[in-house]
Amino acid sequence: MAGHAAEAPSSDRSALGAADRFVWRIEVFLAYVSAACIFVLMFIAVVQIVGRKLFNAPIFGYIDMVEIAMGTFAFLAISYCERLGGHVRMELLVGNLRGRLLWLFETTGVIVSLFIVGVLIYYGYEHAMRAFTAGDSTIDAEYPWWPSKLLVPLSFSVLWVRLLIMLWGYLRLLVDPGLKPVAVPLMASVEEEALREAGAVPGAEENGKA
Amino acid sequence: MTALGLSKDVIGIIGILSLLVLVVVGVRVYIAAAVVGLAGLVTMLGWSAGAGMVGTIPHSKSITYTLSILPMFILIGYLAYYAGITAALFRAARAWFGWLPGGLAVGTVFANAGFAAVSGASTATAAVFSRVAIPEMLAAGYSKTMAAGTVAIGGTLAALIPPSAILVIYGIIVEESVGQLLVAGFLPGIITAVVYSLIIVVWASADPKAGPAIHGATWSERFASLPGTLPVILVVVIIFSAMSYGWATPTEAGALGAFVVFVIALLRGMRTPQLKDALLETAKLTVMIFSMIWGILIFVRFLGFTGLPADFTTWVTSLPYPPIVIMIGILLMYGVLGMFMDAIGMLLLTLPVVYPAVMALGYDSIWFGIIVVKMVEICLVTPPIGLNCFVVAAVRRDIPLATVFRGIAPFVIADAITISLFLAFPELITWLPSLMAKG
């Protein structure tokens, strides 16, 4: 189950390429929000430890705060990860397919994804709305739950649009396997994956010289 | 009996088979698990009850305080690269262990163990040490087989030595104390490193050309090499003392560890672009793991309704074999599965059914977690996938893949010995966590 080499966004000048780039901008933004929340969580936890241990003044509702904030890094970057082919899958079979058969499997996978993600958007939204009408809140600080729950349908809606673009991308390849793939994550062989992993290690060069 | 007139067990088995088919044809694991779970629950409970239940799972299962530890551990790993920790560790390990037969390789194993204490990622560790350690070993006249094998196997220590992301995931699936699991990984990690070292010493003694000893490190050099390893020591002390004395939750300890490594990375010259990269990569890996967690838990909810895990447990416990034989059978199954699947996916897919049966056989859940993780990590270095080996061969174009796999062979034997040791003496795993409070 290797990952993928990813080239995102595509530089293709077609409408598909443009759609890819448009959604990519949203995805990158959401990924940054999620990254920022992780970074802030790190600082808040340090403040919490110092406050509690040294000044006997823990942050009120700290655990509630963390739980509310978790919605960001648990969901927001889901589409970003999908576009980069970052979600785990088994490539033992599809990794060895070429041409129309490969695109057939990819298209089927995207259709399955569109279905389940669609269901999750609808019922995830209902779940959030129930929390809103019932005034559901966290235990200590009584923060309302609904904004956090709303992140599920929000992130998944972006993912749904991304899947739609991928469906378009795979369908045109299914019709004409000779075309250049646009707006779809490309699979890498284990070797390419390893090379990327090797090259992606930041600071490795400096370490090597030291 | 349900709407379709099928018994619950049959629906459960159809569910597992459908999941396997979807995963094999390349559907992402989180999607495959969620869609099969949805289909199963809808079959058993009807559309609105089934789909309504599924709709609540992503949020309710992801948003729990325990899981907030994941991004912190992942972040520590990414930041550690910028803190220049690997080279410092290797220098120290070379100064202290170089005099042994195969000393540089032994040093590499211990440097890996040290790096594992700030990182949870196996393949990335292999990539770094391919650059840091292999050139030195080759320059000292080591054989390519030993140099490459050591680096590929060393990376697997990251899965055991805390902080280990995969142990956190195990803890979440089986609802076991994450703190205890993390602490439990420490001793087996060290034992594994020691067994690897012994194998290297034996190997280098039998074939002195493979790994000659390095002489000439003075005591002052040895002590001078220690301050560079300070970040690792700090992170280990923070995480261990927090877990053992309970002065911070696992997430807080992880966050403090990340903060310490962050400050050191800043001091060693990390700038905004690198920080941005580290954070984005952390966000990507975090969402990937969360998606797998809720996706698989949708499937697990469905399996629970079918009663299949309970029936499987009844079946396994009624087998006319002693538990140890069944356990060895389960471990062999993991060995085979691991050739085709990645560690996290494999745990998530198998544990919901296998774990209750193992518990019914009378095994300790923390012990089983460590053993399973050890099994799946072996698969990271064995053909046909063995990603760590591919990484080493990719970094070192002059070392063919076959050489790396040959270099791995002695260590796989070492791992078989280590696992037998854990089977015979479970206390090696359970002793350390038994000292701490449940939390």
Side-chain angles (χ1 to χ4, degrees):
Chain A
M1 269 195 225
H4 301 250
E7 195 202 331
S10 52
S11 51
D12 200 77
R13 300 180 70 85
S14 62
L16 180 56
D20 180 35
R21 284 189 296 278
F22 178 73
V23 176
W24 175 246
R25 274 205 291 278
I26 300 172
E27 289 166 336
V28 169
F29 171 73
L30 293 178
Y32 270 121
V33 173
S34 153
C37 282
I38 293 172
F39 198 48
V40 170
L41 179 68
M42 177 183 89
F43 285 107
I44 292 181
V46 173
V47 171
Q48 162 76 351
I49 297 174
V50 172
R52 191 180 55 214
K53 286 289 151 189
L54 298 187
F55 305 106
N56 200 19
I59 302 171
F60 175 68
Y62 163 73
I63 290 188
D64 295 15
M65 205 188 302
V66 172
E67 288 198 334
I68 293 277
M70 281 179 74
T72 55
F73 52 78
F75 305 115
L76 280 183
I78 190 168
S79 186
Y80 174 80
C81 188
E82 182 75 40
R83 176 62 183 91
L84 292 176
H87 288 289
V88 174
R89 70 161 172 174
M90 186 169 147
E91 287 177 349
L92 210 60
L93 178 71
V94 281
N96 290 310
L97 295 178
R98 292 284 172 272
R100 195 162 266 149
L101 195 58
L102 169 66
W103 306 127
L104 182 68
F105 276 125
E106 297 284 26
T107 308
T108 316
V110 172
I111 291 171
V112 171
S113 309
L114 277 167
F115 168 69
I116 180 71
V117 173
V119 170
L120 288 171
I121 292 170
Y122 182 83
Y123 287 95
Y125 179 74
E126 268 203 344
H127 188 49
M129 284 303 104
R130 268 198 304 278
F132 178 72
T133 44
D136 205 359
S137 67
T138 61
I139 296 166
D140 287 340
E142 300 190 353
Y143 298 127
W145 265 122
W146 65 267
S148 167
K149 292 187 174 176
L150 210 52
L151 290 176
V152 176
L154 175 80
S155 322
F156 288 18
S157 298
V158 178
L159 175 62
W160 203 80
V161 175
R162 164 55 65 198
L163 289 165
L164 215 54
I165 294 173
M166 279 168 64
L167 179 66
W168 179 3
Y170 285 131
L171 276 176
R172 61 186 271 282
L173 291 165
L174 188 63
V175 174
D176 181 359
L179 293 174
K180 176 175 159 288
V182 173
V184 294
L186 292 177
M187 253 186 292
S189 67
V190 185
E191 287 86 353
E192 289 166 308
E193 168 71 10
L195 204 60
R196 192 171 64 92
E197 189 87 47
V201 176
E205 291 303 334
E206 296 94 276
N207 284 348
K209 277 181 231 147
Chain B
M1 290 290 181
T2 56
L4 295 178
L6 297 168
S7 82
K8 284 178 169 182
D9 273 358
V10 172
I11 294 182
I13 290 168
I14 294 176
I16 291 179
L17 292 178
S18 325
L19 178 57
L20 275 179
V21 169
L22 285 179
V23 169
V24 167
V25 300
V27 177
R28 314 233 173 258
V29 170
Y30 78 106
I31 292 287
V35 83
V36 173
L38 173 73
L41 284 167
V42 165
T43 312
M44 301 181 75
L45 307 173
W47 178 265
S48 65
M53 180 186 287
V54 168
T56 66
I57 291 177
H59 191 273
S60 64
K61 290 297 177 186
S62 306
I63 308 303
T64 54
Y65 182 70
T66 332
L67 281 173
S68 62
I69 194 176
L70 285 173
M72 293 302 118
F73 279 2
I74 296 168
L75 185 59
I76 293 182
Y78 281 113
L79 290 175
Y81 294 120
Y82 299 108
I85 288 171
T86 42
L89 280 171
F90 186 65
R91 263 200 305 278
R94 182 184 51 195
W96 287 86
F97 299 106
W99 57 275
L100 287 165
L104 278 184
V106 173
T108 304
V109 166
F110 281 100
N112 260 299
F115 192 66
V118 288
S119 165
S122 206
T123 45
T125 314
V128 175
F129 279 94
S130 298
R131 291 215 177 82
V132 179
I134 291 184
E136 290 233 18
M137 283 194 266
L138 295 185
Y142 279 52
S143 74
K144 285 180 178 172
T145 319
M146 181 182 277
T150 308
V151 168
I153 198 76
T156 65
L157 289 168
L160 284 177
I161 295 179
S164 153
I166 195 156
L167 278 174
V168 174
I169 289 164
Y170 175 88
I172 284 144
I173 311 174
V174 309
E175 294 176 344
E176 182 53 73
S177 153
V178 168
Q180 286 202 326
L181 270 168
L182 288 175
V183 170
F186 184 73
L187 206 52
I190 298 300
I191 293 173
T192 304
V194 171
V195 174
Y196 288 163
S197 306
L198 289 177
I199 291 279
I200 292 169
V201 171
V202 171
W203 182 0
S205 305
D207 179 8
K209 279 204 288 288
I214 307 291
H215 297 285
T218 63
W219 282 99
S220 61
E221 269 171 33
R222 282 178 190 161
F223 285 106
S225 71
L226 291 182
T229 63
L230 193 68
V232 174
I233 295 166
L234 275 176
V235 171
V236 171
V237 168
I238 288 168
I239 289 174
F240 261 84
S241 68
M243 307 266 180
S244 310
Y245 300 109
W247 57 264
T249 64
T251 304
E252 288 168 3
L256 188 57
F259 180 73
V260 168
V261 179
F262 167 66
V263 170
I264 293 167
L266 278 186
L267 293 177
R268 300 234 168 124
M270 179 180 70
R271 291 294 168 259
T272 318
Q274 292 99 332
L275 176 63
K276 238 166 55 177
D277 276 359
L279 285 170
L280 270 184
E281 282 298 310
T282 304
K284 184 177 143 206
L285 197 53
T286 304
V287 79
M288 184 270 263
I289 294 176
F290 271 100
S291 304
M292 292 243 277
I293 288 172
W294 61 252
I296 304 266
L297 287 177
I298 290 175
F299 178 72
V300 168
R301 178 73 61 92
F302 150 63
L303 268 193
F305 270 95
T306 65
L308 198 64
D311 292 342
F312 180 75
T313 302
T314 315
W315 176 74
V316 167
T317 46
S318 70
L319 289 174
Y321 308 110
I324 185 77
V325 174
I326 299 175
M327 175 55 71
I328 290 171
I330 291 173
L331 293 184
L332 290 177
M333 176 198 81
Y334 275 107
V336 173
L337 272 182
M339 291 179 180
F340 309 102
M341 288 171 92
D342 115 298
I344 294 175
M346 186 159 78
L347 287 191
L348 286 165
L349 290 176
T350 55
L351 283 175
V353 177
V354 171
Y355 176 79
V358 169
M359 290 307 102
L361 289 173
Y363 286 100
D364 181 82
S365 68
I366 289 181
W367 176 86
F368 185 61
I370 303 294
I371 291 280
V372 162
V373 167
K374 189 96 190 70
M375 273 319 285
V376 299
E377 282 301 305
I378 294 178
C379 306
L380 259 179
V381 292
T382 45
I385 298 183
L387 194 59
N388 273 10
C389 298
F390 281 94
V391 168
V392 174
V395 176
R396 300 288 313 193
R397 286 279 163 198
D398 54 326
I399 303 181
L401 189 60
T403 309
V404 188
F405 277 130
R406 245 197 335 275
I408 280 297
F411 298 106
V412 174
I413 297 168
D415 274 329
I417 297 172
T418 315
I419 288 182
S420 324
L421 213 60
F422 294 152
L423 280 169
F425 307 103
E427 301 78 19
L428 289 173
I429 294 173
T430 54
W431 173 71
L432 204 54
S434 72
L435 298 180
M436 61 185 282
K438 262 281 200 226

